Amino acid sequence: MFERDVKRAGRAGNVRSACGALLLLLVAGSATPAQGVDPRILPATPRYVRNAACAPVRIAMPPGTHRLPGGPLISPRPAEIPVGQGDSAICFAYATADMISQRVGRAVSPLDVAGKFYFADPARLEALPDPALRAHLRAHPGYPADIAWGRNAADINPVGNPGLQPYFDKLEGGEEDAAALLYNLGGLCAERDLPSHEGYAHFGPTYAALRFSAPVRAPNQCLRRVGATVDKLRSRRADAFNDAWLRRVDALCRREPLPVPLLPVSARVAANQLDFMAMLEAGRPPARTDITRLLSRVDYALDHGRAPAIGYSWYILQDRDPKDPDLAADHSSAVIGRRKAAGRCQYLVQDNTGEYCARMRPDIARRCDNGRVWLREDELRRSLYSVIYLR
């Protein structure tokens, strides 16, 4: 988002703060670094180079606390499988939550990450006191417009939603860097408090009830929790629903201050996977050196103790169903390791779809273990279009 290698047309204007400050998202400054949290802030403009030796590295992820829907028990062995997005289409929030979790040493809730991306007020960032964050914002003055662009680019799922209302659980897509930046607001919410394994499955009855009750109970006023988002994500019914959902989140989350500020750095060669495919079809694919520069950032992040998120195509992992209307399968995942095998550099990608390894391409399945897949560099190069990491 902040170091775009592509120009975006029709960029939305600054996000309007229609209803003043958010009541839900309280200002939270940086706290004393928690035990095990790296207090270092990486340079804003480092020199990116490939790790020529492809030296082995494995990024430690904080213990998960996810559980299956319908049960109160926390997984006794959560490290064996990543939190899965289920039927949701917000992989950006799961990859961003992985980045944040690794940075702060706590497993944070992807649903909370998504809620802040869609509805948090970017104007509140200016009030945060952390000097590193304030310097980061000054260096990237276009962040409000970038956030608005990402929100306007979100899709609305029509399934069970004939009116195309922008209900929270019907929103699809988002930007990892914007989501990470907005997560500086209000403190972190642990996955234990707001379970996100299998997407929205834990809250199906809640959403069903709010579809009917929220518009009736909503006060006849602008709802402050959603008043600062873009017009595309607002309507009378959706405002009431989304405000009620964010109140529910507020009640469930025992928020804690972030131990370090979240300062995202990103680069890309295409706006998204569909744009990447269009470049290929037009006979102007990204230069090999451009993809190498992206991989240099992956190496830099891993070598400095960060788990970067990458944008790529899910179809690298699994064959496309001919009946699937999604031609691009735009996907986002965290990278948590690197190794050299059979003379080739491989990267350990933490898939968050919850898909079984056995359903993946045979060669990929042999390098997959409970959703964590070793991808060769040449496989990544086929569709890699973005890299984001936290300084």
Side-chain angles (χ1 to χ4, degrees):
M1 178 178 71
F2 299 121
E3 297 177 26
R4 299 279 186 210
D5 294 323
V6 293
K7 293 183 179 179
R8 286 179 162 178
R11 192 178 292 276
N14 290 344
V15 178
R16 292 183 294 110
S17 182
C19 300
L22 292 173
L23 291 182
L24 172 65
L25 301 177
L26 303 176
V27 173
S30 294
T32 302
Q35 185 176 5
V37 175
D38 182 358
R40 296 176 304 154
I41 295 176
L42 302 180
T45 55
R47 179 173 176 263
Y48 299 107
V49 294
R50 294 298 307 275
N51 187 300
C54 190
V57 63
R58 182 69 179 262
I59 301 296
M61 301 296 287
T65 57
H66 52 278
R67 62 178 184 263
L68 291 174
L73 298 179
I74 300 295
S75 170
R77 304 175 72 180
E80 292 189 355
I81 185 171
V83 174
Q85 69 183 73
D87 292 331
S88 75
I90 54 171
C91 60
F92 82 96
Y94 284 76
T96 303
D98 281 341
M99 278 199 304
I100 296 172
S101 298
Q102 189 267 331
R103 186 73 184 95
V104 304
R106 291 288 307 277
V108 303
S109 169
L111 291 186
D112 190 45
V113 171
K116 289 185 182 182
F117 169 75
Y118 292 128
F119 302 114
D121 185 357
R124 301 278 297 184
L125 290 167
E126 295 286 352
L128 296 180
D130 186 274
L133 178 60
R134 295 173 74 87
H136 185 84
L137 297 178
R138 287 194 301 271
H140 305 288
Y143 75 88
D146 285 318
I147 291 170
W149 185 94
R151 289 171 169 177
N152 278 307
D155 294 322
I156 301 174
N157 188 343
V159 177
N161 185 26
L164 288 180
Q165 294 287 338
Y167 298 126
F168 169 72
D169 62 323
K170 296 298 180 180
L171 298 179
E172 300 181 344
E175 299 289 327
E176 297 85 356
D177 39 13
L181 185 65
L182 287 166
Y183 209 74
N184 284 287
L185 294 165
L188 66 86
C189 177
E191 166 68 14
R192 178 188 294 269
D193 291 345
L194 189 69
S196 305
H197 191 45
E198 290 299 313
Y200 307 119
H202 287 272
F203 300 101
T206 299
Y207 295 137
L210 291 182
R211 300 234 198 278
F212 296 96
S213 64
V216 175
R217 297 177 182 175
N220 187 23
Q221 63 181 12
C222 189
L223 298 171
R224 296 181 180 181
R225 283 176 175 80
V226 299
T229 193
V230 295
D231 290 343
K232 180 178 181 177
L233 304 187
R234 299 200 62 191
S235 73
R236 188 189 70 83
R237 294 190 66 87
D239 281 358
F241 175 95
N242 293 329
D243 177 75
W245 165 246
L246 293 176
R247 289 176 184 273
R248 175 67 172 159
V249 171
D250 197 27
L252 291 174
C253 290
R254 293 166 289 185
R255 295 199 181 274
E256 304 171 36
L258 294 168
V260 289
L262 304 176
L263 311 177
V265 177
S266 72
R268 61 185 62 216
V269 297
N272 49 45
Q273 188 59 212
L274 201 59
D275 186 39
F276 186 93
M277 292 173 60
M279 294 169 68
L280 298 180
E281 292 174 1
R284 46 180 182 83
R288 183 176 179 83
T289 54
D290 292 335
I291 305 299
T292 297
R293 280 194 285 267
L294 292 184
L295 290 171
S296 296
R297 290 175 178 246
V298 173
D299 282 341
Y300 175 85
L302 293 174
D303 290 338
H304 289 80
R306 304 289 189 267
I310 58 172
Y312 66 111
S313 174
W314 162 255
Y315 293 144
I316 288 181
L317 306 179
Q318 187 169 310
D319 291 326
R320 174 177 173 263
D321 186 330
K323 297 180 181 179
D324 191 337
D326 189 353
L327 298 177
D330 204 340
H331 195 39
S332 179
S333 299
V335 180
I336 61 173
R338 182 184 60 215
R339 73 180 183 185
K340 198 166 189 177
R344 294 181 175 183
C345 201
Q346 297 182 351
Y347 293 91
L348 185 58
V349 173
Q350 179 156 292
D351 176 49
N352 46 49
T353 60
E355 186 59 281
Y356 294 109
C357 293
R359 295 178 182 173
M360 296 183 181
R361 299 175 187 269
D363 187 41
I364 297 292
R366 287 191 288 271
R367 289 177 265 136
C368 175
D369 181 22
N370 285 330
R372 299 179 180 92
V373 187
W374 285 102
L375 290 180
R376 299 192 310 266
E377 177 181 324
D378 62 292
E379 291 168 331
L380 270 181
R381 283 179 174 273
R382 295 173 194 167
S383 66
L384 177 68
Y385 72 88
S386 70
V387 176
I388 303 96
Y389 70 90
L390 297 175
R391 288 173 52 206

